Amino acid sequence: MVGLTVLILAAGQGTRMCSDRPKVLHELAWSPIVQHVVNAAQRLNPEKILVVTGYGAQQVQEYFAGQAITWVHQERQLGTGDAVRCALPLLQDCTGDLLILAGDVPLIRSEILQLLVNAHRQGGERLTLLSTTLPDPTGYGRIVRGADGRVRAVVEERDASAVVRTIREINSGVYLVALSCLAGWVNRIGNNNAQREYYLPDIVAMAIGEGGVAVIHHEDYESLGGINDRSQLARAESVFRARKVAELMAKGVTFTDPGSCWVAADAEIGRDTIIAPHCVLGPSVAIGANCQIGPFCCLEKCQIGSDVHIEAFSHVNGAEIAGQSSVGPFARLRPGTVLEQGSKVGNFCEIKKSRIGAGSKVSHLSYIGDADIGRKVNIGAGTITCNYDGVNKHKTVIEDGVFIGSDTQLIAPVRIGKNAVLAAGTSASKDVPEGALAITRSPQKHIPDWHERKKKT
Ligand code: UD1
Ligand code: CA
């Protein structure tokens, strides 16, 4: 087995982003740009992944805390060639090939990388680079080929003649290099060019001189584009989104208007579920089969069973929703919410850190926080759990079969016993025994002829 090590270049500031944040930490589909590159690299099972950081190194390393990455520090950003030079001491014990990736090419797919590895090994080259043809190659290094079709050089935009600038085949910034050759080439890179930078692509000319370079052209240019400014970031986001939605549609999910929905990479959705237009499904969303998600819903970190209906404009974050339940429209489920089988949360209800038992209903205009609600409970319109006394949060327990009338307050800590009834308008500050009716309403008085009396004054 030939060894494979990965080196990701991520030390640049990303001047064209006009940002205080290092470019590679800008987010694409809820993860930093460079995380996507690391993910693609990991799928190849390399021996080691090294990442070169420099600008905002601490921030980048903090983000990756706990992930198996070897850090390389590049003190000053003198160019991609210099970045690789900084990694040489850490590569001394590695054998086989080094896959070099740019930290700002996040849509790269591991299938393409595997093709590159295979082609490099079959061809027996010392250097293989990946190219593609872009509709607009502005800003990229161009692949200059001779009349025989063989690569002659890689020329950066700023060093290119008008003729070279018309070439649309570009260097993707992905290289596979025999580690036995790397140091010899990289140490010879100079900075005699328009940007006074050490250019990694200069190793191409060296490898040609030593008879061993191949360029693998891949047609999927959308996966090979770099992110240098915010327009490219937005374009990458829409490519990513289209890819993910297409993958889910292929598995039997309906998107009524695929172009309007945003879905994180790890979303799992069951067959025959229908996602209406303008839904945003953030990280860690799992939805079962046969569900309907209405328009303009935002879901994040939630597990949803099968046959669940979530109506328009609902916001769900950190909730578990069991099968046959219904939510919304205009519902907000906050972290720690558990809706059991066949339960219902209707319009303008907010639920936080609470369990709603099987078959129970919170249908209108309520706030339920820190509550444990049993089975077959009915919560009337405008019910509020007063869970916070200004210092601490307290719990409300509502046992099975309870009926809570409209416009009630449950002043926690409080327990409503099984099958009890709270009359409308009640403020319950004491526990209610099982089966009892609780009522705190003040008696209704009538003052006769009020209308006539008002006229006389
Ligand atoms: C580079 C290539 C270009 C290629 C393009 C593909 C060079 C000189 N040019 O251009 O041929 O078409 O990528 O996207 O390599 N970096 C460092 N340290 C540095 C400079 C850069 O780690 O000193 C990192 C950056 O963080 C970035 C990557 O290297 O992730 C590429 O650098 P960037 O400045 O974006 O190069 P491009 O101009 O895009
Ligand atoms: Ca770039």
Side-chain angles (χ1 to χ4, degrees):
M1 265 296 279
V2 184
L4 182 70
T5 305
V6 176
L7 178 65
I8 300 172
L9 311 184
Q13 176 179 2
T15 327
R16 288 167 276 178
M17 295 297 280
C18 302
S19 171
D20 295 330
R21 226 195 302 178
K23 174 169 71 175
V24 294
L25 286 188
H26 279 262
E27 285 189 359
L28 172 71
W30 294 275
S31 301
I33 290 173
V34 63
Q35 177 75 72
H36 293 271
V37 183
V38 170
N39 293 348
Q42 259 158 358
R43 285 184 210 114
L44 301 179
N45 292 319
E47 281 163 30
K48 244 206 287 198
I49 297 179
L50 296 93
V51 179
V52 186
T53 53
Y55 183 84
Q58 202 186 338
Q59 261 172 287
V60 179
Q61 292 181 21
E62 270 166 21
Y63 172 79
F64 281 93
Q67 297 190 37
I69 286 172
T70 304
W71 298 103
V72 177
H73 191 67
Q74 187 189 21
E75 190 62 42
R76 288 191 299 147
Q77 284 66 66
L78 302 175
T80 46
D82 180 68
V84 176
R85 186 156 43 218
C86 293
L88 292 177
L90 287 154
L91 291 167
Q92 267 168 359
D93 300 333
C94 303
T95 54
D97 298 313
L98 181 69
L99 173 65
I100 303 177
L101 301 170
D104 67 347
V105 180
L107 296 175
I108 187 80
R109 292 186 288 120
S110 53
E111 294 81 13
I112 299 179
L113 297 177
Q114 193 60 58
L115 279 176
L116 178 72
V117 172
N118 297 347
H120 176 80
R121 291 183 176 169
Q122 276 158 19
E125 307 293 354
R126 290 162 179 184
L127 170 64
T128 306
L129 71 144
L130 192 60
S131 76
T132 191
T133 303
L134 291 181
D136 176 12
T138 309
Y140 288 85
R142 307 298 206 282
I143 305 287
V144 180
R145 292 179 186 265
D148 58 358
R150 295 179 74 91
V151 60
R152 284 282 157 75
V154 175
V155 179
E156 292 306 303
E157 166 104 7
R158 294 193 33 199
D159 302 294
S161 65
V163 176
V164 168
R165 284 184 191 192
T166 63
I167 298 172
R168 291 193 299 122
E169 187 185 4
I170 60 101
N171 168 25
S172 68
V174 177
Y175 316 75
L176 204 64
V177 198
L179 276 159
S180 56
C181 299
L182 184 73
W185 290 338
V186 167
N187 284 322
R188 273 158 54 205
I189 298 175
N191 67 347
N192 185 18
N193 52 52
Q195 300 187 82
R196 292 272 153 230
E197 274 185 14
Y198 295 86
Y199 289 165
L200 181 60
D202 284 1
I203 64 172
V204 173
M206 300 176 201
I208 293 169
E210 291 172 26
V213 62
V215 175
I216 301 295
H217 181 272
H218 203 286
E219 64 202 8
D220 182 5
Y221 64 84
E222 285 187 330
S223 295
L224 297 173
I227 293 183
N228 300 302
D229 57 35
R230 295 189 196 241
S231 299
Q232 286 170 333
L233 179 61
R235 228 172 296 140
E237 185 84 50
S238 74
V239 170
F240 183 92
R241 176 254 308 264
R243 220 192 240 179
K244 181 65 194 177
V245 168
E247 181 193 301
L248 289 164
M249 289 196 291
K251 289 180 179 164
V253 179
T254 294
F255 281 86
T256 321
D257 179 16
S260 69
C261 294
W262 300 85
V263 185
D266 60 353
E268 287 172 26
I269 307 179
R271 284 161 83 99
D272 295 317
T273 283
I274 300 171
I275 314 279
H278 299 286
C279 286
V280 179
L281 312 186
S284 309
V285 169
I287 303 176
N290 260 317
C291 294
Q292 291 189 21
I293 312 294
F296 298 97
C297 286
C298 291
L299 315 181
E300 196 174 326
K301 296 190 197 82
C302 57
Q303 288 217 326
I304 298 174
S306 294
D307 304 299
V308 169
H309 286 203
I310 299 194
E311 310 285 348
F313 295 100
S314 293
H315 193 280
V316 179
N317 182 356
E320 272 174 51
I321 303 173
Q324 279 104 38
S325 298
S326 90
V327 173
F330 297 99
R332 177 165 185 220
L333 306 186
R334 291 170 51 199
T337 295
V338 176
L339 304 190
E340 291 183 349
Q341 190 85 9
S343 55
K344 178 183 177 195
V345 173
N347 44 208
F348 306 106
C349 293
E350 174 182 347
I351 317 282
K352 187 216 81 172
K353 211 175 170 188
S354 297
R355 172 181 79 104
I356 313 292
S360 293
K361 293 177 182 170
V362 186
S363 296
H364 332 267
L365 297 153
S366 291
Y367 170 62
I368 304 294
D370 303 296
D372 186 65
I373 298 180
R375 301 162 68 90
K376 295 212 160 47
V377 168
N378 189 78
I379 305 282
T383 296
I384 307 290
T385 52
C386 308
N387 59 328
Y388 186 47
D389 59 14
V391 183
N392 294 306
K393 300 276 167 68
H394 300 281
K395 202 161 175 180
T396 300
V397 177
I398 301 174
E399 295 180 356
D400 294 350
V402 164
F403 183 93
I404 306 275
S406 298
D407 189 26
T408 53
Q409 293 90 54
L410 296 144
I411 301 165
V414 68
R415 171 181 288 266
I416 314 299
K418 197 171 169 188
N419 296 329
V421 173
L422 238 65
T426 293
S427 289
S429 54
K430 288 189 287 192
D431 290 357
V432 177
E434 186 176 325
L437 168 72
I439 181 162
T440 61
R441 219 180 284 162
S442 44
Q444 181 169 331
K445 286 190 240 168
H446 291 165
I447 299 165
D449 304 324
W450 183 255
H451 184 65
E452 289 303 312
R453 280 206 252 167
K454 283 282 260 191
K455 270 199 269 180
K456 287 177 195 148
T457 54

